Amino acid sequence: MAAVCGLMRRPLEQVTVRDAINQGMDEELERDEKVFLLGEEVAQYDGAYKVSRGLWKKYGDKRIIDTPISEMGFAGIAVGAAMAGLRPICEFMTFNFSMQAIDQVINSAAKTYYMSGGIQPVPVVFRGPNGASAGVAAQHSQCFAAWYGHCPGLKVVSPWNSEDAKGLIKSAIRDNNPVVVLENELMYGVPFELPSEAQSKDFLIPIGKAKIERQGTHITVVAHSRPVGHCLEAATVLSKEGIECEVINMRTIRPMDIETIEASVMKTNHLVTVEGGWPQFGVGAEVCARIMEGPAFNFLDAPAVRVTGADVPMPYAKILEDNSIPQVKDIIFAIKKTLNI
Amino acid sequence: MRKMLAAVSRVLGVAQKPASRVLVASRNFANDATFEIKKCDLHRLEEGPPVTTVLTREDGLKYYRMMQTVRRMELKADQLYKQKIIRGFCHLCDGQLLLPLTQEACCVGLEAGINPTDHLITAYRAHGFTFTRGLSVREILTELTGRRGGCAKGKGGSMHMYAKNFYGGNGIVGAQVPLGAGIALACKYNGKDEVCLTLYGDGAANQGQIFEAYNMAALWKLPCVFICENNRYGMGTSVERAAASTDYYKRGDFIPGLRVDGMDILCVREATRFAAAYCRSGKGPILMELQTYRYHGHSMSDPGVSYRTREEIQEVRSKSDPIMLLKDRMVNSNLASVEELKEIDVEVRKEIEDAAQFATADPEPPLEELGYHIYSSDPPFEVRGANQWIKFKSVS
């Protein structure tokens, strides 16, 4: 009987985050001919980080477009094309370079539907790697979650694993609003099991919904992107000491799913937020402010605590860089402090 | 007698009209007339637009009415702004009551040179284009007064009006140019032979992103007509003080260009037809510089005399008012009579007056709608107000 069951069960695919994004884009390009991709090196180079590998060969020059190094120009072109009814995916080689184009993202994309009184939608996706990498120093390591998360009219998502990456990029492309997809370069090569539903061409992860990655009772730990993995590692370590962490993967920065976090805090009475970005005016700061304003505040047994990147431009030397981003030990320390252990 | 009048009316293409008009119509107007127009300066082009053009009576009357409407609408906006009924920014494209002259020929002339299925995007001096692209004076003035009947429901104001195939109204100088190139990309992508007119001013012409747009438009042969409305002043800075090269029609370098008399509506129309045909043939983008003059200050808060002399303004005014130019041409070629043009003036004035009354009386948008239109196509959600207890509903 067991042998028969074993034969019938489909093995779960191991897919890297890079391939998950690639699959997501490929499926959406196939599904809707208005979708196209533009950015530096996305076509003939297969993508600076190979995320768009094979797409140009499959779809050609019309739908996979290499741009010159002109972020402000091509971001504006993407927004204009979206206004005229196409569904562009605009890649920034890293979000650091999006600063050159940020006026187009905010003033031309995010605000337009509102300013036009609901006449002019802008169905554009801006995607690319965000945040720290390894040894690329200050100008190439900034996290933009807080900057983009600040603006009404934008949606901002931050996938962690392959399932997130695939489901969110597909949802972003199908969304009729400007969506910023903050990927992570260090996660591109990491394989994850893709659950069977994620193998369907209509697999979507809803924007605006967080996921509880690990159930727990003693403390709520909230993170987005790569730090979610660190939180799970911390949780594994702490579990051996009898501390059970509930780890929440935000998945979306804006609109933030504060309800999932509130419900969790009302259960565990403790909160730690974890992010790669700088502490001041960051994602964690927003979570804490909202928890204070809501029903969960009265359930807190200790102040909410934030774990973040260090408040410095990213240094180059390995020892300095390692200590400028939240490590597993920093998360464990913060959790224990909050629990007064 | 009636039969003869009816026959004459049919020949002239004029519909049956009330008595006074029939008297006018019984004069034998010419159906059309040929006019000489200024030759355009050319950059990287062997040939330019024709130097003569035919204007039909019907078109002439249409253009006259449109230009007068734009002028009167802008004058009314001027008035409403001074009465503080319009707030914030009000960048007008007209001249003042006694001394006309400005950019009406541009918006009407450009529209005459393209199809309604073509696309147009401009910067913040957009009221005229909003009208020529199809919105009513009422919707425009009501948006300016910030009322719920405005074309953007009072959410956008002067700089953010949209219509079919008209993408605003854009407040950030120069940002509309890459947008226009993107719309042109969509035109090419869709394969329907449509073009996008992408307008910017002499001040914006020095923005880096415009050169990025030139480069990509030329590389990818986008059907984009870049149009520089050169009114010789970027706010208070004359072109000589802002640009190392004031030959804006050449600034596209590898993009062919033409410099056009922007005060002559027929010149603008012919140049636009030429430019649009160029793009539709798949040759790629083209650049048009329209030479105009901004009689008014930069905006309502600028009297416009601290950086130029009154003599200069007077001189330009007295020599090249686009509406006078068209009127003289039509009357002198027997395309229309002075009386019938006056009738149009009266009708236009009434239309503007009615629209202004509506715009002044219409209520402001309901406070409940403050949070509306954040996202498109989404289910309703809550938007935070000034504090955590104030919540607005957001509906797409």
Side-chain angles (χ1 to χ4, degrees):
Chain A
M1 185 61 178
V4 172
C5 285
L7 281 171
M8 281 165 60
R9 232 180 60 218
R10 255 172 76 195
L12 290 176
E13 249 188 287
Q14 281 264 329
V15 175
T16 61
V17 170
R18 167 186 290 115
D19 289 343
I21 301 169
N22 186 288
Q23 279 178 26
M25 289 199 289
D26 191 354
E27 286 170 11
E28 295 307 303
L29 282 157
E30 198 176 87
R31 178 181 174 269
D32 184 352
E33 60 179 24
K34 295 211 238 15
V35 176
F36 70 100
L37 171 67
L38 81 166
E40 294 154 12
E41 310 301 342
V42 297
Q44 298 187 20
Y45 198 85
D46 273 336
Y49 300 99
K50 306 303 178 200
V51 177
S52 53
R53 176 171 37 214
L55 295 179
W56 175 65
K57 261 218 185 83
K58 185 171 176 186
Y59 295 102
D61 286 330
K62 179 180 175 182
R63 309 210 37 219
I64 312 292
I65 303 176
D66 276 335
T67 64
I69 306 174
S70 307
E71 275 76 7
M72 197 165 184
F74 69 71
I77 282 177
V79 175
M83 288 180 174
L86 297 184
R87 306 190 75 89
I89 307 167
C90 176
E91 178 179 299
F92 290 119
M93 196 183 281
T94 78
F95 267 95
N96 300 285
F97 315 140
S98 76
M99 265 202 283
Q100 310 237 300
I102 200 163
D103 175 69
Q104 296 288 4
V105 178
I106 307 301
N107 280 318
S108 300
K111 298 178 184 173
T112 292
Y113 191 68
Y114 187 86
M115 291 192 297
S116 67
I119 289 178
Q120 179 64 72
V122 186
V124 64
V125 172
F126 297 102
R127 53 159 290 275
N130 174 62
S133 179
V136 294
Q139 293 178 341
H140 287 72
S141 305
Q142 188 170 331
C143 174
F144 288 83
W147 285 29
Y148 288 117
H150 190 52
C151 301
L154 274 188
K155 295 190 182 179
V156 182
V157 299
S158 183
W160 165 55
N161 62 8
S162 299
E163 182 188 341
D164 290 355
K166 184 168 184 186
L168 287 172
I169 189 71
K170 286 166 74 71
S171 290
I173 293 166
R174 295 191 196 190
D175 202 305
N176 286 335
N177 296 287
V179 183
V180 170
V181 182
L182 302 171
E183 300 161 6
N184 187 298
E185 199 237 313
L186 296 173
M187 295 304 294
Y188 280 155
V190 180
F192 291 90
E193 263 175 7
L194 259 192
S196 49
E197 345 42 290
Q199 292 167 41
S200 141
K201 288 197 171 161
D202 280 313
F203 169 67
L204 300 172
I205 286 183
I207 295 178
K209 204 81 193 65
K211 183 183 179 201
I212 299 175
E213 296 286 350
R214 182 189 194 282
Q215 303 256 2
T217 47
H218 297 121
I219 184 164
T220 301
V221 185
V222 180
H224 72 95
S225 189
R226 187 161 175 261
V228 172
H230 298 327
C231 293
L232 289 169
E233 274 183 62
T236 306
V237 170
L238 287 166
S239 182
K240 300 193 185 86
E241 298 175 43
I243 301 168
E244 294 304 328
C245 301
E246 180 143 292
V247 177
I248 299 181
N249 172 6
M250 289 178 72
R251 285 179 159 179
T252 299
I253 306 293
R254 178 185 265 264
M256 191 185 288
D257 179 6
I258 197 66
E259 287 81 18
T260 299
I261 302 173
E262 272 173 345
S264 175
V265 171
M266 282 155 83
K267 185 177 77 174
T268 68
N269 312 123
H270 297 85
L271 174 63
V272 168
T273 70
V274 185
E275 69 200 280
W278 291 319
Q280 290 198 37
F281 311 100
V283 175
E286 178 66 17
V287 173
C288 291
R290 290 213 209 178
I291 289 295
M292 277 232 287
E293 290 175 347
F297 172 73
N298 289 311
F299 289 77
L300 281 173
D301 287 345
V305 155
R306 300 172 294 162
V307 179
T308 70
D311 203 10
V312 295
M314 184 67 74
Y316 167 68
K318 188 161 196 319
I319 185 176
L320 300 179
E321 184 178 60
D322 286 348
N323 284 279
S324 298
I325 56 166
Q327 301 174 68
V328 177
K329 67 169 174 65
D330 304 319
I331 301 171
I332 291 173
F333 186 92
I335 290 171
K336 286 188 168 174
K337 266 283 200 200
T338 310
L339 290 170
N340 213 9
I341 294 169
Chain B
M1 178 68 174
R2 291 239 338 255
K3 269 199 193 150
M4 188 188 86
L5 282 175
V8 167
S9 295
R10 267 200 306 279
V11 164
L12 296 174
V14 174
Q16 286 296 346
K17 284 177 178 169
S20 62
R21 303 254 200 94
V22 170
L23 279 174
V24 167
S26 68
R27 255 178 67 179
N28 237 339
F29 286 116
N31 230 359
D32 57 55
T34 304
F35 296 102
E36 276 180 19
I37 51 178
K38 237 187 240 159
K39 190 169 188 296
C40 296
D41 296 319
L42 301 177
H43 170 70
R44 287 187 191 267
L45 282 168
E46 293 295 315
E47 285 171 1
V51 293
T52 61
T53 183
V54 174
L55 175 66
T56 66
R57 173 176 147 82
E58 191 185 332
D59 280 345
L61 290 171
K62 183 172 80 182
Y63 301 157
Y64 182 82
R65 180 183 292 269
M66 281 171 85
M67 288 205 286
Q68 273 295 28
T69 306
V70 170
R71 171 156 307 168
R72 297 257 146 227
M73 177 178 74
E74 296 288 74
L75 287 173
K76 180 55 72 173
D78 178 312
Q79 191 189 349
L80 291 171
Y81 190 90
K82 286 175 176 138
Q83 294 173 300
K84 298 197 196 297
I85 298 173
I86 294 179
R87 304 163 48 242
F89 289 128
C90 198
H91 303 95
L92 300 175
C93 84
D94 75 303
Q96 227 163 38
L97 193 58
L98 299 175
L99 303 156
L101 195 129
T102 78
Q103 299 171 242
E104 296 94 350
C106 293
C107 46
V108 178
L110 286 174
E111 189 63 36
I114 55 172
N115 306 322
T117 46
D118 290 319
H119 307 259
L120 194 149
I121 188 172
T122 185
Y124 50 74
R125 202 177 301 281
H127 308 159
F129 293 99
T130 313
F131 173 72
T132 52
R133 281 265 94 188
L135 291 195
S136 67
V137 176
R138 169 189 280 213
E139 293 173 277
I140 295 170
L141 287 182
T142 312
E143 184 59 35
L144 290 177
T145 56
R147 310 298 169 91
R148 67 178 183 203
C151 55
K153 305 190 177 76
K155 299 293 254 314
S158 171
M159 299 183 290
H160 309 293
M161 304 190 194
Y162 296 79
K164 188 168 196 313
N165 297 342
F166 175 61
Y167 305 83
N170 289 275
I172 306 296
V173 172
Q176 77 278 12
V177 178
L179 293 180
I183 296 161
L185 186 147
C187 290
K188 181 170 180 178
Y189 194 101
N190 291 329
K192 289 197 233 157
D193 278 340
E194 292 163 5
V195 302
C196 181
L197 304 192
T198 301
L199 282 82
Y200 55 98
D202 51 276
N206 301 314
Q207 273 267 310
Q209 57 185 317
I210 291 186
F211 294 89
E212 295 186 13
Y214 287 161
N215 184 39
M216 285 181 273
L219 260 182
W220 301 333
K221 292 200 166 26
L222 303 182
C224 187
V225 182
F226 293 104
I227 301 175
C228 178
E229 276 183 289
N230 178 6
N231 67 13
R232 302 198 228 158
Y233 288 90
M235 239 171 124
T237 305
S238 70
V239 292
E240 294 76 34
R241 295 203 302 125
S245 162
T246 55
D247 289 332
Y248 296 100
Y249 71 113
K250 291 184 182 170
R251 298 274 294 272
D253 189 7
F254 36 78
I255 296 181
L258 48 154
R259 183 159 55 189
V260 181
D261 178 1
M263 305 308 279
D264 176 356
I265 191 197
L266 296 180
C267 220
V268 175
R269 181 183 73 172
E270 284 311 311
T272 307
R273 283 179 176 163
F274 176 87
Y278 180 94
C279 286
R280 277 187 240 278
S281 71
K283 297 199 190 86
I286 191 170
L287 205 166
M288 260 167 61
E289 178 187 340
L290 301 179
Q291 293 200 299
T292 78
Y293 189 80
R294 194 193 74 214
Y295 162 67
H296 243 168
H298 161 70
S299 69
M300 288 308 306
S301 49
D302 170 28
V305 288
S306 66
Y307 46 85
R308 54 188 174 172
T309 63
R310 288 189 194 274
E311 288 77 43
E312 177 191 303
I313 304 172
Q314 286 276 43
E315 222 219 290
V316 183
R317 281 180 184 177
S318 60
K319 290 213 178 115
S320 13
D321 173 6
I323 298 182
M324 291 307 296
L325 187 57
L326 179 65
K327 178 175 176 177
D328 289 344
R329 272 182 168 150
M330 288 187 70
V331 167
N332 295 339
S333 312
N334 199 29
L335 286 176
S337 72
V338 172
E339 293 78 31
E340 94 184 293
L341 294 181
K342 272 213 173 75
E343 259 181 57
I344 293 179
D345 291 350
V346 167
E347 283 166 19
V348 167
R349 219 170 297 212
K350 178 162 195 319
E351 184 189 344
I352 306 299
E353 209 41 63
D354 288 349
Q357 277 203 22
F358 179 86
T360 312
D362 202 35
E364 285 192 291
L367 187 57
E368 299 75 61
E369 292 183 12
L370 184 147
Y372 281 26
H373 311 123
I374 296 281
Y375 294 135
S376 166
S377 325
D378 270 15
F381 63 100
E382 235 166 40
V383 161
R384 188 191 164 103
N387 62 39
Q388 72 201 65
W389 297 282
I390 299 174
K391 295 195 213 288
F392 294 97
K393 187 170 177 196
S394 185
V395 166
S396 286

